[in-house]
Amino acid sequence: MYKKLFITVAFVAACLQTNAQTLAKEFKTTSNGNPISGGVYCADPTSLDYNGRLYVYGSNDHQEFLINGRQGENTYGTIKSIVVFSTDDMVNWTFHGTIDVAKLCSGWTGNPWYRGFHTSWAPSVTWHTSKRTKKDEFFLYFANSSHGVGVLKAKSPVGPWSSPREDALIASDTPGALQQSANFDPGVVIDDNGTGWLTFGGLDYDAGGTDLLPGNTRIIKLASGLAATSGSAIEIPAPYHFEANELNMIGGKYVFTYCSNWANRKDSDWNAYKAAHGITASKPNKATMCYMVSDDPTNPDSWVYKGEYGAHTSAPNNHSHLHKFQGNYYYLYHDVSLMDAMKSKGAAGSNSSLYRSICVNKATVNEETATINRVTLNLTGVTAIKNLNPYELQQAETMATCGGIEYDYFTNIKKSSINTLGNEASENLQVQMKEGSWIQVRNADFDTNGAVKFTLCAKGEGTIEIRLGTKTATAAATLNISSSDMSDNTIEVDASKFQGVKTIYIVATAATDLYLDAWQFTKADPSGIQTIESSKVGQTQRYDLLGRPITNTQQHRGIVIEQYTDENGIRHTRKSW
């Protein structure tokens, strides 16, 4: 009788509808894939993949947007942190917060001045397994303003990060470095022999440079620990080079990508260049992404210009990264589509400019010839490479798009020149929900049996509706939250509504200091017999950020999600190390 009454009451509660709500505006549409975030400005993308997940890092344009009062021009001068996102399906993106580079590099020497910390732009990342410790190590290189390159080190893709040096890695006094140009915009790769290489340089022409060959591009070998250089930097003779250096290994070849400059292109100069180098490629347009290929990065004459593969976007500058993930090549870049949408809907000042957003489109690459086809850029983005599993623990920061949830609506993200998150991106990161705010999660696969329970880890006061298909749909389930602490709240749901592949909307129809941390559905038993789950008091289950159980015999580095029950049998969720 108790079980029947419990299910009946829960079912009726799920079907009751609240009054019509005014939903928050959408700046990234509910059908497009680009940009990757519907509420965070970020630029200059780079990426690495690890344990089946793609991690994307970018310049934190949103930091300056908030400092400027959501208006005005982005001058990049107060960008002192790096944003981190990740995905395993290329559609739903988890925001891991920021890496507070200013805090990590606060101890850098300022003598000479150019070796002290200034800003953190245009990151480039890589990782390897240390031969000495046998542990995985992660390295993030960043443009220390236009004065040089810094490096950070971590033991997981999201941290904790630290500065392995007391000063910049690359500066004008680095052997072979540029003297008149900017030693910035790093691009790193570990080659097939396990050797690390770093490219950098741009902006002004170096000594003897011309419009066609500015002479402002360098590559240098990294020492085995990847936090120091080895030998002298060598020129890459990149035609019309300007900035946005990145490196890849494709088919055993070194592939260098960069953004072309704004100089005039003379046909006579280009025809002479083609004849001298035996190539047929057309001269690049202004501010487009170009690439060169080499078998030997230490030989400037080995680099062959292959052409233009990425168009100039709506942003005034251009920066991209090419990455192969789960068998597909992806082209990561930035535009200003989010800013344009926010300006048109009053969420950014009408005088706002240069606040950029990361996008991704599919790329086609011939690995045998290291040839990159010209990429088609659009807001549609890419299709999902897998469905999302709603029966695994999902972070509230995971979404395809959202409304009413922007950078400063995540806890541990503050409106200050130096963030307070610290060096552990994503630890204790939660999403603040206001009345009318919503989160969209795409391609949740409930299978044919469907879900019978929904658990939401949250605190505060409010009402959450789960809507399916569209954000204005009738609620498929409703959950009332009233808790002063972050705790699990569970309701029964109608399994017939939660079957197959669905687009989920988590909508706040009422909210007072309401924060969401994580959610999870419980799968229906195919036998049709449902019982109330019991758990031992004090029993703790540990999960990684993907919601996969971690056994006691496994070694796990990084953030751990713990679920446990207290002496009253109430289940709690927390993040820890």
Side-chain angles (χ1 to χ4, degrees):
M1 177 62 72
Y2 166 77
K3 184 164 67 175
K4 289 182 179 179
L5 179 61
F6 179 75
I7 294 175
T8 301
V9 171
F11 177 77
V12 171
C15 295
L16 291 176
Q17 299 302 305
T18 61
N19 295 329
Q21 299 289 320
T22 300
L23 296 181
K25 299 173 183 177
E26 61 182 52
F27 307 123
K28 170 187 175 181
T29 72
T30 55
S31 58
N32 284 342
N34 283 326
I36 65 172
S37 172
V40 177
Y41 291 133
C42 46
D44 307 322
T46 188
S47 59
L48 61 81
D49 62 273
Y50 184 70
N51 286 348
R53 198 163 185 88
L54 182 70
Y55 293 84
V56 175
Y57 307 75
S59 301
N60 190 359
D61 281 21
H62 216 99
Q63 185 173 21
E64 181 148 329
F65 179 62
L66 295 179
I67 290 171
N68 289 346
R70 298 176 174 271
Q71 58 186 339
E73 179 182 350
N74 181 10
T75 66
Y76 320 124
T78 57
I79 298 176
K80 301 178 185 293
S81 54
I82 300 291
V83 297
V84 188
F85 288 86
S86 74
T87 184
D88 64 354
D89 61 14
M90 299 304 298
V91 171
N92 297 298
W93 293 86
T94 302
F95 180 45
H96 295 287
T98 67
I99 304 168
D100 189 351
V101 186
K103 181 178 180 180
L104 297 176
C105 301
S106 61
W108 280 14
T109 177
N111 185 21
W113 65 270
Y114 48 79
R115 285 198 167 272
F117 174 76
H118 296 279
T119 58
S120 54
W121 306 336
S124 185
V125 293
T126 191
W127 70 277
H128 75 167
T129 302
S130 170
K131 294 180 180 179
R132 182 178 62 85
T133 65
K134 309 303 180 185
K135 294 182 179 180
D136 297 338
E137 297 177 333
F138 299 80
F139 296 86
L140 185 149
Y141 304 84
F142 63 90
N144 186 29
S145 184
S146 60
H147 308 309
V149 173
V151 60
L152 301 178
K153 183 178 179 181
K155 52 188 176 183
S156 86
V158 295
W161 295 90
S162 62
S163 174
R165 300 176 55 92
E166 296 180 351
D167 60 357
L169 171 68
I170 301 289
S172 58
D173 55 3
T174 299
L178 298 160
Q179 299 305 305
Q180 299 178 13
S181 309
N183 292 293
F184 80 151
D185 278 17
V188 66
V189 77
I190 298 175
D191 67 19
D192 296 340
N193 298 315
T195 301
W197 299 89
L198 190 76
T199 54
F200 59 93
L203 300 186
D204 298 330
Y205 304 165
D206 216 56
T210 65
D211 288 348
L212 173 60
L213 291 171
N216 58 358
T217 317
R218 296 291 185 269
I219 185 169
I220 194 167
K221 184 179 179 180
L222 294 172
S224 58
L226 300 181
T229 59
S230 175
S232 180
I234 302 165
E235 180 180 357
I236 298 177
Y240 299 112
H241 176 270
F242 188 60
E243 60 181 354
N245 314 292
E246 279 281 15
L247 277 170
N248 285 85
M249 292 298 299
I250 300 177
K253 297 182 181 295
Y254 301 82
V255 179
F256 169 62
T257 61
Y258 65 95
C259 176
S260 63
N261 63 21
W262 298 87
N264 291 326
R265 276 77 158 137
K266 296 180 180 178
D267 288 339
S268 57
D269 289 345
W270 188 250
N271 290 334
Y273 178 84
K274 289 199 301 181
H277 294 83
I279 63 173
T280 60
S282 300
K283 63 178 181 289
N285 291 299
K286 297 178 181 180
T288 57
M289 296 306 302
C290 308
Y291 72 110
M292 302 183 77
V293 174
S294 171
D295 292 315
D296 179 8
T298 64
N299 179 7
D301 294 332
S302 70
W303 289 96
V304 178
Y305 178 79
K306 300 277 283 186
E308 177 184 286
Y309 75 105
H312 184 199
T313 72
S314 57
N317 56 11
N318 209 344
H319 199 118
S320 74
H321 177 62
L322 188 71
H323 197 106
K324 186 178 182 181
F325 177 63
Q326 301 295 320
N328 300 309
Y329 276 95
Y330 294 98
Y331 178 75
L332 295 143
Y333 61 100
H334 64 230
D335 68 9
V336 292
S337 58
L338 183 64
M339 183 193 70
D340 287 344
M342 292 181 75
K343 286 172 65 175
S344 69
K345 297 180 180 182
S350 59
N351 63 345
S352 297
S353 64
L354 307 184
Y355 299 107
R356 303 158 296 175
S357 299
I358 294 175
C359 300
V360 58
N361 283 105
K362 204 83 169 283
T364 302
V365 177
N366 185 324
E367 293 184 335
E368 292 184 0
T369 60
T371 300
I372 312 170
N373 289 358
R374 188 177 178 87
V375 180
T376 299
L377 308 183
N378 55 52
L379 291 178
T380 302
V382 300
T383 56
I385 59 175
K386 61 179 289 190
N387 290 331
L388 180 138
N389 186 353
Y391 303 122
E392 292 180 343
L393 190 69
Q394 302 291 338
Q395 295 300 298
E397 308 92 72
T398 299
M399 57 191 76
T401 188
C402 60
I405 300 168
E406 299 174 35
Y407 182 109
D408 47 332
Y409 297 157
F410 292 84
T411 58
N412 299 323
I413 303 293
K414 304 296 183 183
K415 297 180 182 178
S416 62
S417 58
I418 299 179
N419 295 326
T420 61
L421 177 62
N423 62 355
E424 298 167 358
S426 84
E427 185 181 15
N428 298 322
L429 196 64
Q430 299 145 11
V431 179
Q432 182 178 9
M433 301 292 282
K434 299 184 176 181
E435 184 173 327
S437 61
W438 51 272
I439 293 169
Q440 183 206 56
V441 178
R442 300 177 189 171
N443 305 308
D445 189 356
F446 291 95
D447 67 36
T448 56
N449 295 319
V452 292
K453 290 182 182 180
F454 174 68
T455 300
L456 179 67
C457 184
K459 70 175 180 179
E461 305 285 334
T463 301
I464 294 293
E465 289 187 356
I466 307 301
R467 302 178 183 179
L468 303 176
T470 67
K471 63 178 183 287
T472 57
T474 300
T478 302
L479 178 63
N480 293 315
I481 307 295
S482 181
S483 175
S484 59
D485 298 317
M486 191 63 70
S487 59
D488 286 349
N489 302 265
T490 301
I491 58 168
E492 302 276 335
V493 300
D494 182 354
S496 67
K497 295 180 180 180
F498 292 90
Q499 293 177 336
V501 179
K502 305 288 187 183
T503 295
I504 301 172
Y505 289 89
I506 301 174
V507 182
T509 58
T512 301
D513 294 327
L514 181 61
Y515 290 88
L516 309 188
D517 186 50
W519 57 268
Q520 186 174 15
F521 283 87
T522 301
K523 185 184 297 188
D525 187 328
S527 68
I529 301 174
Q530 304 300 330
T531 58
I532 298 175
E533 297 179 3
S534 61
S535 57
K536 297 178 181 179
V537 174
Q539 183 180 25
T540 300
Q541 176 63 59
R542 303 168 74 240
Y543 300 89
D544 64 15
L545 280 176
L546 300 182
R548 298 174 300 199
I550 301 171
T551 66
N552 292 331
T553 58
Q554 290 177 308
Q555 291 185 343
H556 179 80
R557 295 184 297 276
I559 295 166
V560 171
I561 300 165
E562 293 183 345
Q563 289 189 339
Y564 67 99
T565 54
D566 61 22
E567 64 277 6
N568 298 315
I570 299 174
R571 190 171 64 164
H572 302 270
T573 300
R574 65 188 178 193
K575 295 177 184 176
S576 65
W577 281 92

